[in-house]
Amino acid sequence: MPRLVFLGKFRPLAPPGLDRVEPPSTVTTLNDLKLWVGGEAPALGAALADMPCKLAVNQQIVHDLSRHFHPDDEIAFMPPMSGG
Amino acid sequence: MDIRVTAAAFDPQAEAAGFAAGRHDMGALVSFTGLCRAASDGKAVAELFLDHYPGFTEREIARIAEDIAARCGCPDLLVIHRVGRVVPGEAIVLVAALSGHRADAFEAVRLLMDYLKTDAPLWKRETGPDGVRWIAPRAEDAARRAEAEEA
């Protein structure tokens, strides 16, 4: 199963264990995964819908959410960054 | 190039001095220190917390710094960025540049800060009298970042 990482505002909205839940077999793309995550955790889903979200796969930002993920991928959900 | 992401407080003056020590080939040292304020938008701030993505955050800051070093012809850059809990008065970030002349160093520090505000994988959360609040990037920071991209 992929390992999910939720950062910033998304982190406290992800229920414990969501990072290690096996998505159903119909969830194959990053966009599928984003929608599935939102369905599993409605508060997180609302935040994901409310603000831009960047995804990183194995610590590389991916813009094409139609991309398929692999079971051993690490997939990070990142809200807008606010460093400096 | 010296890039550090740290949970420990640091002394920006001492770090900048150490960065420039012995560099008698350089004519300019420019540094910027971002500090944690005790108030934001008229409300008290008890502390900041900076979330980060270990490994990715360090690499992205290094990538940004390398890009700016090449753009400005200014390879000697220092970035120290705090993560975790930061209290008012402490330094959040130090950016410094060494160069032969001041123009390149000023430009490198300005651009680095513009990019760090919007592109460094860090997320700030303030704790104040009304509880916690995640900080969204300011519109002016996004505008400066867009200007930097066009420059």
Side-chain angles (χ1 to χ4, degrees):
Chain A
M1 73 189 79
R3 193 169 88 79
L4 307 184
V5 179
F6 300 96
L7 292 150
K9 186 173 187 171
F10 299 152
R11 190 191 289 274
L13 299 176
L18 183 61
D19 58 334
R20 281 288 180 186
V21 174
E22 181 85 49
S25 59
T26 52
V27 173
T28 61
T29 69
L30 293 174
N31 198 47
D32 294 340
L33 185 67
K34 188 177 167 185
L35 292 171
W36 175 77
V37 159
E40 291 294 300
L44 177 59
L48 286 166
D50 187 46
M51 64 183 66
C53 168
K54 281 186 181 170
L55 265 64
V57 177
N58 301 325
Q59 302 208 347
Q60 296 283 329
I61 289 178
V62 173
H63 298 287
D64 178 9
L65 299 192
S66 67
R67 180 172 148 177
H68 291 260
F69 60 87
H70 302 287
D72 55 350
D73 282 341
E74 176 178 284
I75 301 166
F77 293 76
M78 300 184 286
M81 298 163 184
S82 56
Chain B
M1 191 79 69
D2 182 357
I3 310 296
R4 283 178 257 162
V5 170
T6 176
F10 63 90
D11 177 344
Q13 283 80 26
E15 293 290 352
F19 175 59
R23 294 301 305 270
H24 301 151
D25 53 327
M26 294 295 174
L29 166 66
V30 172
S31 70
F32 169 84
T33 303
L35 300 169
C36 177
R37 291 179 295 171
S40 173
D41 296 331
K43 292 187 176 177
V45 173
E47 66 175 52
L48 272 182
F49 177 83
L50 284 109
D51 194 12
H52 78 299
Y53 187 7
F56 184 67
T57 299
E58 290 85 343
R59 277 201 307 282
E60 283 293 293
I61 293 175
R63 185 185 60 75
I64 292 166
E66 281 161 13
D67 179 50
I68 288 168
R71 278 175 72 175
C72 297
C74 189
D76 291 292
L77 299 176
L78 167 68
V79 179
I80 305 177
H81 210 301
R82 289 284 300 277
V83 292
R85 181 175 176 267
V86 181
V87 297
E90 288 185 342
I92 302 170
V93 60
L94 169 68
V95 169
L98 280 166
S99 66
H101 301 281
R102 69 184 185 281
D104 292 343
F106 272 123
E107 183 66 357
V109 168
R110 187 185 68 80
L111 282 174
L112 254 174
M113 281 309 305
D114 287 347
Y115 276 79
L116 287 178
K117 283 281 180 187
T118 55
D119 289 39
L122 293 156
W123 297 272
K124 283 199 195 92
R125 188 190 69 198
E126 281 179 0
T127 300
D130 301 329
V132 299
R133 178 173 79 105
W134 289 93
I135 307 299
R138 301 162 81 102
E140 64 198 58
D141 291 329
R144 284 205 189 93
R145 165 68 173 76
E147 281 175 23
E149 187 75 20
E150 289 165 10

